[in-house]
Amino acid sequence: SNLSVHPNGRKIVVGTSCGSIQIWSCFGSSVSTRPLGAVYSAHGGTKPVTFVTFIGDGSKIASRSDSDDTVRIWNVEKIEKDSGSFSRKRSGGDGGHSPSLLLATCRGLPALNESANCAFSPDGTVVCAGSSVNPREPNCCGKLKFYRLPEEPKNGKPIKEAKKEKKKKKETAILDPIVELDVA
């Protein structure tokens, strides 16, 4: 399990060993008795969520599991708003979550241990994560991978464009790295 404090200091996000992400309200020394919102089967089935972190403005969460080689980007507002509507039963064992909830998936990040993490860039446009390798393999090194997050629609678009966007089915973005660095 892992936790991260929201930038405003009033919330925490917890990644659990049973596979959920939970957002909790906390004021000073007290923590709420129920989460503000939760995502079950965040990485599919009961794969543990081994790392979580908030983006700088607190609007997104990145989660990582050492069991599925991905980093997933979540919409905090939707987690809190739709609390209780996403369960193991509803999302399925593969973690098939709504694209408005699960914004993006960064693939190709094998992790050999549960201490693998990730981080958002200060401007929130890039997420960075490392991949692990078996040190016994010859000529092998890990990689530090950078992924550009999809741009969100801007407010104030012309009405015609807004209507066109509503008709398009939104899908969770599958991200490829924009840069890969070899690390020893």
Side-chain angles (χ1 to χ4, degrees):
S1 297
N2 189 276
L3 71 85
S4 178
V5 178
H6 190 279
N8 72 12
R10 295 177 177 235
K11 298 176 190 174
I12 58 174
V13 61
V14 179
T16 70
S17 59
C18 65
S20 69
I21 296 171
Q22 302 171 5
I23 300 173
W24 293 80
S25 175
C26 57
F27 295 99
S29 61
S30 66
V31 176
S32 59
T33 57
R34 291 183 178 204
L36 297 171
V39 176
Y40 300 97
S41 302
H43 284 261
T46 57
K47 293 175 184 168
V49 177
T50 53
F51 185 81
V52 288
T53 188
F54 281 102
I55 196 168
D57 67 4
S59 65
K60 297 178 183 89
I61 294 169
S63 67
R64 187 150 187 192
S65 174
D66 63 353
S67 300
D68 73 349
D69 302 344
T70 67
V71 168
R72 296 184 180 200
I73 311 300
W74 304 91
N75 180 324
V76 170
E77 184 180 344
K78 288 296 278 183
I79 292 172
E80 293 175 358
K81 182 180 174 187
D82 297 340
S83 181
S85 65
F86 293 92
S87 67
R88 280 189 181 93
K89 182 178 178 184
R90 184 155 179 209
S91 68
D94 65 349
H97 298 284
S98 158
S100 61
L101 181 69
L102 176 58
L103 302 173
T105 300
C106 307
R107 296 188 185 218
L109 293 162
L112 297 178
N113 57 59
E114 58 186 49
S115 64
N117 58 18
C118 60
F120 288 103
S121 63
D123 67 359
T125 61
V126 174
V127 68
C128 174
S131 64
S132 303
V133 293
N134 185 341
R136 294 184 181 131
E137 291 182 27
N139 302 321
C140 200
C141 62
K143 297 214 181 267
L144 195 56
K145 298 182 180 187
F146 297 84
Y147 299 83
R148 182 163 314 281
L149 297 177
E151 290 185 30
E152 295 185 27
K154 306 285 187 229
N155 291 337
K157 285 192 172 188
I159 296 172
K160 288 181 182 179
E161 284 186 40
K163 286 181 181 178
K164 285 179 187 176
E165 284 185 11
K166 284 185 180 181
K167 291 179 183 177
K168 290 181 185 177
K169 183 180 177 190
K170 185 177 179 184
E171 295 182 9
T172 298
I174 306 299
L175 306 180
D176 293 319
I178 56 172
V179 175
E180 292 185 31
L181 302 175
D182 291 339
V183 292

